[in-house]
Amino acid sequence: MKKLSARRRHPLAALVVLLIALAATGGLYTAFAPADQAVADETAQTLTIEEGKKLYAVGCASCHGTGGQGTTDGPPLTGVGAAAVDFQVGTGRMPAQQPGAQVPKKKVIYSQAQIDQLAAYIASLGAGPEIPTENAYNPEGADIAEGGELFRTNCAQCHNFTGKGGALSEGKYAPTLEGVDPKHIYEAMQTGPQNMPSFPDTTLSEENKKDIIAYLEAVNGDDTVEPGGLSLGGLGPVSEGLFGWVFGLGTLIAVAVWVTARTAKAKKS
């Protein structure tokens, strides 16, 4: 009986062996680290939202309300999503200098870190489009021809067929898309800022958006060749026809007057 008692294992022996095995294979870290990492990520996100709330109180609440509910001077922001904030603030349109028919693009006054904080706070008020990753708007390998067809079908009515922009009613306008960051073009299609309709993935897929961005880069890039001569701002046949009428007919009239004067002088002599 004494020999059997001597050979009996301690109740914690199996647990010790398991811990040694987990430590040897890295499993001990795997077993405990994810929970700690999740807590750390949640804490960082909470701090980001709190910093964004402070920025919002200073620069946005006077128009959009203390809780994003909106006022007579600004629309509600609940559910607009982080992408809308990244576009509006990242292009300098917000905070707006003054109310008007349309808020113009201007110098950006926030850093990207601050924009991310504001976006996190607004996103916490209600679900909406998220800020796209670079892979979503990188036009490398996209179909430029397909992008041109999609742009002419959905966008050219306002932005002109090469994205040079154009006038709308009541003092509004479609801004030029030349030189605009691809991320902001993608976000504009996602969120539909100001007078623009939104084009969610159910209307224009991520690939469709990439194709449109690739088309705009192709027609407005630094290496773009215009074999037709002066583009006249890419405004199309209306401006080109007006140029022809004004300068072409003006030249013909001037020549006709000159010929008439010369003929009259010749007859007198």
Side-chain angles (χ1 to χ4, degrees):
M1 294 295 292
K2 289 183 178 180
K3 290 183 179 180
L4 290 174
S5 300
R7 292 179 181 179
R8 186 176 297 164
R9 295 180 179 179
H10 192 279
L12 297 178
L15 178 60
V16 172
V17 173
L18 177 61
L19 291 175
I20 293 173
L22 286 171
T25 60
L28 186 62
Y29 173 81
T30 304
F32 293 101
D36 294 340
Q37 185 64 43
V39 171
D41 291 344
E42 184 176 351
T43 301
Q45 181 67 8
T46 301
L47 291 174
T48 300
I49 292 173
E50 286 299 320
E51 291 300 315
K53 186 175 181 179
K54 295 176 184 177
L55 292 169
Y56 177 88
V58 174
C60 315
S62 59
C63 292
H64 295 286
T66 54
Q69 73 275 16
T71 68
T72 55
D73 294 323
L77 299 180
T78 305
V80 300
V85 178
D86 191 70
F87 172 82
Q88 295 285 3
V89 182
T91 59
R93 289 176 167 85
M94 292 290 159
Q97 290 180 332
Q98 60 186 17
Q102 185 157 330
V103 179
K105 180 180 179 180
K106 59 184 185 299
K107 183 179 178 180
V108 180
I109 63 173
Y110 290 103
S111 67
Q112 186 58 52
Q114 291 173 319
I115 294 172
D116 292 340
Q117 291 168 348
L118 275 169
Y121 171 65
I122 297 302
S124 72
L125 301 179
E130 298 179 355
I131 298 174
T133 63
E134 184 177 355
N135 183 61
Y137 57 80
N138 186 351
E140 184 177 354
D143 190 334
I144 296 175
E146 178 68 15
E149 184 174 343
L150 289 169
F151 185 86
R152 288 187 292 272
T153 301
N154 298 282
C155 318
Q157 297 90 333
C158 297
H159 288 283
N160 176 270
F161 66 93
T162 57
K164 291 295 192 295
L168 301 176
S169 61
E170 299 178 354
K172 303 171 185 177
Y173 59 90
T176 178
L177 302 179
E178 187 174 5
V180 178
D181 190 307
K183 179 178 74 166
H184 292 148
I185 295 177
Y186 190 100
E187 289 171 337
M189 287 187 279
Q190 273 188 310
T191 61
Q194 301 193 75
N195 305 297
M196 179 175 168
S198 62
F199 296 93
D201 289 344
T202 52
T203 304
L204 287 177
S205 67
E206 182 177 305
E207 290 300 320
N208 292 154
K209 293 182 177 73
K210 281 186 180 182
D211 293 341
I212 289 175
I213 292 171
Y215 166 74
L216 289 171
E217 287 196 353
V219 296
N220 292 317
D222 295 334
D223 299 327
T224 302
V225 178
E226 296 181 352
L230 295 175
S231 65
L232 300 176
L235 297 177
V238 174
S239 62
E240 293 166 0
L242 180 62
F243 181 89
W245 275 97
V246 172
F247 290 93
L249 283 179
T251 301
L252 290 175
I253 292 171
V255 170
V257 170
W258 180 81
V259 169
T260 303
R262 295 280 297 181
T263 303
K265 287 181 180 180
K267 288 182 177 179
K268 289 181 180 178
S269 62

